[in-house]
Structures are given as structure tokens and as C-alpha cells.
Amino acid sequence: MALLKTSHFTRILLSGGRHAGFVRPSAFNFASNASEPHISKKWDLVSSVCVERNPIITADLTDIENKMQIFLSKIELEQSKKSDHELRKERDKITVDALKKGNASEADLEQATKATAQDFEDASQDEFAKFTFASRKNDPTIDEDARNIKRHLSKHLVLLTQQKVGSDSVWLLPQSVRKEGETMRQTADRALVEAVGENFRSIVLGNAPVGFYKYKYPKDVRDKRGVEGAKVFFFKAIYQEGEASCKDFVWATKEELGKKTKQDYFKSVDQFLLF
Amino acid sequence: MAEPLKKKKRIDPAVLRAREERKKKKIEKQIRRLEKNSRQLKPIDELEIPPAVFDTLKQRAREPTVISHEEMEERALLLKEWSLYKMKERMNDVQLLDKMIISQQKAMDELRLESEELYQEALAMDLNVMPFTIKGPVHTPPIVNYDSPDGDYTNITKDWFQPLFVKQ
């Protein structure tokens, strides 16, 4: 299990941090070779950006949430007092009955000709019925079109691009190798612009990376370039607006992300996805 | 010109004591008055029933609904189910955050191992991010090319502002 190494930490957090010995995360060193002597092998530093399109509409309520909602509205009705509108409705009903029986006075007749509370309620209901909201359910073609930003309105989507890594084309989050003099954040910004163009606007959340992935190059590349492999640092961004001007891109749900990318790559990405 | 120094009149100790007593009593009375004031319950603006409603409270009472035995049992079971569901949801949320924090910590540790300079630059605050606003999901998606009706929109929601220190 991925959290086995940090079970103590997990237990502390699960207890709501009220544990007397709450330890800050920085006390643990999660670096892979922290215990080994630092042999200077050369690694390419890569910045990758995970652009998230947040859900546009709320997700459907689950069964139990539905039941709870019905229950809560019943309780609310039972414990409430009558509103002005309800009192008016009752009074109107009494005058209408009195009129029918013929016990009405002049004042009652006058009141009956005015709009009753029921009329007001009906008019309000009609106005509400006339207004058409946009549908919560998409056309199935929109959901199936992987490049459409409006697919799966109630889900989180992640931008995936197809890039050439070595000799293969691989589906992964837009990434780019760090050039001399750049910070990792600057590399990330450049990677995004290179992948999806200038029209695409998103906010990268901070200068610090949120995830890490390491992979070794094949032996011939290692020997030719003298570089062990690449260390990928993930940055998180939130999509604002704009079109992705890229040949091969996809707005992927978490399941699609799992299917399109390599197992261990997905495992690293899954660590920092909050959905 | 200095007159020969007046002799200080000897005040009767009983009178002195009476004077002290009176002063003490006065202060004690003031203390009691202040304490009485603090014991009184202050009205909370949000919980004040509007007087028009308060006068017609009897008319507004609903007939007590009769809840059958089955309904009561159903409700009790639903509440239990709900608390279990919410607990699981909470545990899941905590685990997600847990995973995220560990992931970031690992990334920072690895970056530090690579280069101290890059690590320090990653630690620096990004001033472009704040102030950060994001609008949450809505119930229905926005209508394409919606023609909003003309008119002013006046917001009359009450602002329940509680000052930190209330003047007595």
C-alpha cells in the first residue's frame, strides 16, 4: 500500500491533528535516496503541468443524499410556523366559503374581487415553469468528444497531450525539459505555452511542485548522453478560459487518464489529484 | 509670610472609620450594579423575532403532525445510515489531503536533493496567485447567449456584522 511507509503520519492526521505529538510533514524526508550516499548522477529536470478543468455543475445526489434531503425538508416543514402567504391563503379560503354560503358582507365581496393568494401563487408557478434552464445532461456526442471542454459537466477533467518521448509518442501531461537559468516554475509555464499555445489561459497554483515522477532512459540513450533519466516535477493549474491549439490533446476524466498513461506515471499523478 | 504652623485638628477615629466605610460601600454598590448588568442576557440581532410575527405566533402554529411508528423507525435508521456515510466521506477527504501533502513533500525533498537554489526558488511565494477567486459549480450550466432582462439589481440581504468588542 502506498501509505505504508507513513502510517504513523496518516494516523495522526486521521485523528484530526489532536494527537499530542503532531509532527509536521517536513520532519519526514520522502526523498528516494535520502539514506544512500549522494552519488552525483546526472538527471534531466522536467516540469509538467496538470491543468484541471473544474466541474461546471454539481454532481447528482446519491441515493442516501436524496433520501436525506427529503427527510430534512419534511422536518423543516413540521417544525416551521406558517408564513404570511399561508395565513393570507387561509383567510381567502374562509371568505370564499362565506361567499358561497351567502353569509358575505360588503367588505368580503370587495376583498374577493382582489387577487387571492392562490392566484399569486399560481402566477408565480407559471412564471417559473416558463423559464427554461440549460439542461444538466449533455448531448451524448459532447461527452464522447474528448477534445470538447464542455464534456462531463459534473466531473473534473485533466488536460493530456501526446508528446514524443524518445522514439515513442506517449500520452502524458504537457511537459518540457528545464533549460539553463530557468526555475522549475518558469519551465512549467513554458511547457504549457509550447503545448497549447498563447490563447489558453490558466492559473498555475504557486511556485512549488506538487508531485514527482522519475524514469530512467534506455541504456543506449544513457550511454550516449551521459544522463541517467528524467525527474519530472508536476505543477497544478486551474483552467480559466481559452482554446487549446494543439494537435493531439484530450480533456480526460480520471478513468481515461488511468487508461491512457503508464501505470507508474498514473500512480504519481494520482497522488496529488483531489478527485 | 508663614504663620506659625497650624496644629492639625485631630479627627475622631470613629468619624474616620465611618468615612472609609462609606467609601467602601459606595464602590461595592457600583461593583454589584456592573455585575448585574453583565448577568443580563443581551439580545442577539439575528434571533430577534420581528414584533409583527411575535404577535401572531398563535395563529401561525401548525397542527402537530402525527408520525407513525414505522416512519419514526425509518427516520432513526436513515440518520444512522447518514452518519456512517458522512463519516466515510470525511475519512476519504482526509486521506486525499494526506496523499496530496505527502506528494508535495516528496517533490520538494527531491528538488532539494537536486539543487538547493531551485528548491529555494520553489519555496518563494507566488504573488500573482493571490487574490485568488474561483466560482464553484452551479446547479444548471450557464445558458448560451443569455439575454438578461433590463433593470437594477439591489441586494437586500442582511449583513449580520458582529463587532469584536461590544460597548456596554
Side-chain angles (χ1 to χ4, degrees), chain B residues 93-107:
Chain B
D93 286 346
V94 168
Q95 281 178 0
L96 278 179
L97 291 171
D98 194 351
K99 246 187 350 171
M100 161 66 124
I101 292 169
I102 294 170
S103 172
Q104 180 158 60
Q105 191 57 44
K106 183 169 161 81

Side-chain angles (χ1 to χ4, degrees), chain B residues 145-161:
Chain B
N145 298 326
Y146 178 61
D147 189 19
S148 59
D150 288 327
D152 286 320
Y153 175 71
T154 16
N155 200 353
I156 55 165
T157 43
K158 288 209 172 189
D159 177 24
W160 304 106
F161 169 64

Side-chain angles (χ1 to χ4, degrees), chain A residues 32 84 86 136 183 185 210, chain B residues 60 62 103 110 126 139:
Chain A
S32 47
D84 290 340
E86 280 192 74
R136 273 170 63 87
T183 64
R185 168 65 193 276
V210 289
Chain B
R60 293 176 192 265
R62 286 191 199 276
S103 172
E110 289 287 349
D126 181 9
H139 187 64

Side-chain angles (χ1 to χ4, degrees), chain A residues 145-171:
Chain A
D145 176 16
R147 293 163 70 99
N148 195 332
I149 190 74
K150 297 232 167 102
R151 70 192 297 240
H152 293 299
L153 290 168
S154 60
K155 289 197 179 166
H156 293 257
L157 302 177
V158 165
L159 185 73
L160 269 185
T161 53
Q162 196 166 38
Q163 284 183 293
K164 231 171 176 293
V165 172
S167 51
D168 330 293
S169 297
V170 181
W171 280 103

Side-chain angles (χ1 to χ4, degrees), chain B residues 68-79:
Chain B
S68 64
H69 185 66
E70 291 87 24
E71 172 85 30
M72 283 215 276
E73 282 209 23
E74 259 182 56
R75 286 184 178 186
L77 286 173
L78 177 63
L79 284 170

Side-chain angles (χ1 to χ4, degrees), chain A residues 6 9-10 14 25-26 28-33 45 54 56-58 62 64-65 68 71 74-75 77-78 80-84 86 131-132 134-136 178 182-183 185 204 206-212 231 233 270-271, chain B residues 57 59-62 65 67 71 75 78-79 81-82 85 89 91 94-111 113-114 118 121-122 124-126 129 132 134 137-143 146:
Chain A
T6 56
F9 176 61
T10 314
L14 284 176
S26 47
F28 295 93
N29 194 324
F30 296 104
S32 47
N33 52 345
L45 294 177
N54 286 338
I56 297 172
I57 61 171
T58 51
T62 56
I64 178 144
E65 285 176 347
M68 197 60 186
F71 166 64
K74 270 194 208 155
I75 291 281
L77 185 65
E78 283 166 19
S80 66
K81 296 268 184 263
K82 292 181 189 165
S83 64
D84 290 340
E86 280 192 74
F131 188 89
T132 42
S135 170
R136 273 170 63 87
R178 174 181 172 264
E182 277 186 333
T183 64
R185 168 65 193 276
V204 178
N207 288 330
V210 289
F212 177 77
K231 287 187 174 173
F233 292 93
D270 190 35
Q271 287 282 306
Chain B
L57 223 47
Q59 293 170 270
R60 293 176 192 265
R62 286 191 199 276
T65 42
I67 308 166
E71 172 85 30
R75 286 184 178 186
L78 177 63
L79 284 170
E81 221 184 308
W82 177 252
Y85 173 77
E89 197 182 60
M91 297 292 261
V94 168
Q95 281 178 0
L96 278 179
L97 291 171
D98 194 351
K99 246 187 350 171
M100 161 66 124
I101 292 169
I102 294 170
S103 172
Q104 180 158 60
Q105 191 57 44
K106 183 169 161 81
M108 290 304 264
D109 289 336
E110 289 287 349
L111 188 61
L113 222 60
E114 267 298 318
L118 285 177
E121 283 176 330
M125 262 177 63
D126 181 9
V129 166
F132 181 73
I134 192 166
V138 284
H139 187 64
T140 53
I143 300 170
Y146 178 61

Side-chain angles (χ1 to χ4, degrees), chain A residues 39-253:
Chain A
I39 311 155
S40 42
K41 288 188 184 143
K42 203 158 167 288
W43 291 81
D44 275 336
L45 294 177
V46 178
S47 270
S48 181
V49 186
C50 175
V51 188
E52 228 181 271
R53 189 224 67 183
N54 286 338
I56 297 172
I57 61 171
T58 51
D60 286 330
L61 294 177
T62 56
D63 279 336
I64 178 144
E65 285 176 347
N66 255 322
K67 278 195 230 164
M68 197 60 186
Q69 191 176 63
I70 294 167
F71 166 64
L72 286 175
S73 51
K74 270 194 208 155
I75 291 281
E76 197 183 315
L77 185 65
E78 283 166 19
Q79 295 184 346
S80 66
K81 296 268 184 263
K82 292 181 189 165
S83 64
D84 290 340
H85 176 77
E86 280 192 74
L87 289 181
R88 202 174 137 213
K89 256 171 86 171
E90 285 180 354
R91 261 183 272 129
D92 287 345
K93 197 156 170 281
I94 293 167
T95 47
V96 163
D97 288 342
L99 271 173
K100 282 201 187 138
K101 284 188 187 158
N103 298 340
S105 62
E106 282 287 322
D108 287 339
L109 279 166
E110 215 181 288
Q111 200 188 26
T113 53
K114 285 194 213 146
T116 56
Q118 189 62 48
D119 292 336
F120 171 71
E121 195 176 312
D122 291 336
S124 306
Q125 294 280 31
D126 285 338
E127 194 184 331
F128 183 67
K130 273 202 207 114
F131 188 89
T132 42
F133 292 98
S135 170
R136 273 170 63 87
K137 286 193 166 46
N138 258 341
D139 209 340
T141 52
I142 299 179
D143 277 347
E144 282 159 11
D145 176 16
R147 293 163 70 99
N148 195 332
I149 190 74
K150 297 232 167 102
R151 70 192 297 240
H152 293 299
L153 290 168
S154 60
K155 289 197 179 166
H156 293 257
L157 302 177
V158 165
L159 185 73
L160 269 185
T161 53
Q162 196 166 38
Q163 284 183 293
K164 231 171 176 293
V165 172
S167 51
D168 330 293
S169 297
V170 181
W171 280 103
L172 35 65
L173 304 174
Q175 70 180 35
S176 173
V177 184
R178 174 181 172 264
K179 290 189 184 142
E180 268 305 311
E182 277 186 333
T183 64
M184 295 313 288
R185 168 65 193 276
Q186 286 168 345
T187 317
D189 292 331
R190 183 172 56 84
L192 203 54
V193 170
E194 281 174 7
V196 286
E198 294 280 334
N199 281 334
F200 192 88
R201 288 216 305 117
S202 61
I203 296 182
V204 178
L205 300 173
N207 288 330
V210 289
F212 177 77
Y213 175 66
K214 191 166 73 174
Y215 66 97
K216 278 190 171 160
Y217 291 149
K219 189 140 181 20
D220 49 346
V221 179
R222 257 186 284 159
D223 293 335
K224 191 172 83 171
R225 289 188 52 206
V227 184
E228 271 291 307
K231 287 187 174 173
V232 186
F233 292 93
F234 295 102
F235 285 82
K236 198 164 183 203
I238 294 183
Y239 168 78
Q240 301 286 97
E241 56 184 20
E243 290 270 332
S245 57
C246 172
K247 259 197 293 170
D248 302 303
F249 76 93
V250 147
W251 283 106
T253 59

